[in-house]
Amino acid sequence: MSMPAVLVALVALALASTTLSAADAATAKGLTADDLVRLARVSDPQVSPDGRRVAYTLRETDLEANRGRTDLWVLELGKRPRDGASSPPRRLTQHPASDSAPRWAPDGRGLYFLSSRGGSSQIWYLALTGGEPQQVTTLPLDVGSFEVSPRGDRLAVSMEVFADCVDLQCSVDRLAARDKHKASGLIYDQLFVRHWDTWKDGRLSQLFTLPLAADGKAGKPVNVSRAVRADVPSKPFGGDEDYAFSRDGARIVFSARLSDRSEPWSTNFDLYEVAADGSDAPRNLTADNPAWDAQPVFLANGDLAWLAMARPGFEADRFTVMLRSARDGKVRALTGDWDRSVRHLGASFDGKRLLATADDIGQVALFDIDPATGVRSRLVGEGQVQAFAPAAQGVVIAWASLGSPPDLHLAARGQPPARLTSVNAALLGARELGASEQFSFAGADGAKVHGYVVKPQGWIPGKKYPIAFIVHGGPQVSFANHWSWRWNPQVYAGAGYGVVFIDFHGSPGYGQAFTDSISQDWGGKPLVDLQKGLDAALARYDWLDGTRACSLGASYGGFMQNWIAGNWPDRFKCIVNHAGIFDQRTMYYTTEELWFTEWENGGPYYANPQVHEKFNPADHVTKWKTPMLVIHGALDYRVPYSQGLATFTALQRQGVESRFVFFPDENHWILKPANSLLWHAEVIGWLDKHTGDASPPQTR
């Protein structure tokens, strides 16, 4: 089958999960915020050593407990790629405590996994022949992540410890002593003092290995990263992709950035190699690269592949695939000629080729890479490949799109992808999701820019619909053919809105020059793209009502709402600003990851204030007049909540209609189910109020 036919088949699979009969369509409703919260979430597919089974994590929402809970599932793959699954998925665990991170034992007879069912986060083992899970580690500290060596004789685990402690008990004792101490003050001699949503307490995530005995119990841990004062995995979002066993299990390579005084303005991650038993000191493999080195992956012949950026201090630089020969140690750039930045890197089932995902013209595509030549071929080009795991018959992918939350599929070259799971079939079968379409237009400086529209639920030809104009954050991310658990266009479509969003200058997937173009130009080309993109959508889609449009966004998208309020003040009926930057000077001096704001504004504020001030919303507040809903979380240390409070103060003092929604227990994102429902009720209620829709917001 030709590649276009494969893509058509994949889209058809997504549509099949939401297609209604004529009778059902008459009574169906659109997706609501309550639906979004309740939808099950598939993640972390892991294929067995024989390539015939896939284990995965399924998250379900416990509304009463106000949290998500995860269990492990497994399914058998058919003998041929087009067969999909040979039997229905089987639940492996169901415990009040969450079970996650399934990792196969090398013999394929069982799964190791993380669980807090014993009172702390530890590694457990479940034999697939039956019986109850058995606890493998009884460490005095929580295990954050882990991997199993290829020989099955050792575990690699991460734990948070005090870097100067010689053993785990020292960290345990120090934590206990701190808890007994009546003084609550925290004392710092260097940054970071806080990161993402946590105040630093002196601990680092360190990498340990533990031998596995014949009885399945883990032995004494050895800290293999002690000599490198750094978090392994990296914080706040690093995981087991930050380290890897060699194919023979004798060595480990991990990625780390030194935790010194320059950490808050550095993106210099290096790869370190160390003996898996800790018998030698870590050796820096990438000391010659002052930028980011990440995601080590070993091929079957022992060659080491990884991702590398070239420009220090730029977190959105292009990730190129590098390859280090096991034979002679020579290093070469494998994808230096490819104008795409790799998101995630892995090896094929036989270990002879590489697999990679990358943003590509509004999609997150999956590619196969020849390690000899660097030649790429696209395996899946439509939608969003969120995760992948190589199998004997192809590649198991967690695949999603604007019209489909993630499910597992089996992708094989030249064949239509086979659906493996339909975890939300019952709920989605009673919903009508809005159809989406990508369009393009001439944006700033005449460049080709892409955007999307999503039709409202129950769309009727000839009827005009109000607009939810969503501006993505990042800013070097994309709001394209993806499924989001926070800013999901289908929720607005379900509430009766036509949804428009633009991949303005700065978005990835359109070449690195396009991504670079937003730096030091936050309110320039991106604003022009948004203006021209909305005009293009109105000209192309006559069902959009340009007189009833509201603009929404978070983070950089929230900055843009403040910028729009002062520089495009007559366009929108209302604005929704979540975690938006109000003042560039105070933002620089109170955020945590300084490398971001320094790169985006040409250096520290004190050294280059004119660039920071060039696009400072605080300088334009006297032009604000559009009603604005302001939302912020107290635990947001990326954009501290004082930015939201300042925005609300400026609005209130000038008499501009405004509302402030504050979450004391949320960070940069809204994660708790009950808070998500409240957030959506406030946002959609604000849109309804200002676009003339008197119907109540859909939250139930």
Side-chain angles (χ1 to χ4, degrees), residues 40-60:
R41 308 184 188 186
V42 172
S43 65
D44 200 11
Q46 298 288 323
V47 173
S48 60
D50 62 7
R52 298 176 181 174
R53 290 168 291 179
V54 57
Y56 58 95
T57 300
L58 186 69
R59 179 192 185 273
E60 297 174 293

Side-chain angles (χ1 to χ4, degrees), residues 8-157:
V8 169
L10 189 51
V11 175
L13 282 171
L15 295 176
S17 67
T18 57
T19 300
L20 307 171
S21 68
D24 289 337
T27 59
K29 63 179 181 179
L31 194 77
T32 67
D34 187 71
D35 295 333
L36 186 67
V37 166
R38 292 179 184 275
L39 286 172
R41 308 184 188 186
V42 172
S43 65
D44 200 11
Q46 298 288 323
V47 173
S48 60
D50 62 7
R52 298 176 181 174
R53 290 168 291 179
V54 57
Y56 58 95
T57 300
L58 186 69
R59 179 192 185 273
E60 297 174 293
T61 302
D62 186 340
L63 284 175
E64 185 175 348
N66 196 29
R67 69 182 183 94
R69 192 182 59 77
T70 56
D71 293 308
L72 307 183
W73 290 67
V74 69
L75 58 82
E76 303 284 336
L77 299 175
K79 295 182 179 180
R80 299 169 299 176
R82 65 174 180 268
D83 294 337
S86 63
S87 60
R90 177 166 60 98
R91 184 194 292 269
L92 294 176
T93 66
Q94 189 169 15
H95 194 277
S98 287
D99 300 325
S100 63
R103 298 293 181 267
W104 288 92
D107 61 12
R109 296 177 181 176
L111 286 163
Y112 295 93
F113 62 96
L114 279 181
S115 180
S116 57
R117 60 177 64 203
S120 66
S121 177
Q122 300 293 325
I123 300 172
W124 294 65
Y125 176 80
L126 177 65
L128 294 190
T129 53
E132 291 298 314
Q134 301 299 310
Q135 189 167 348
V136 175
T137 62
T138 54
L139 296 163
L141 298 170
D142 286 338
V143 175
S145 66
F146 79 100
E147 281 291 349
V148 185
S149 75
R151 294 185 297 195
D153 62 344
R154 192 172 294 274
L155 296 172
V157 307

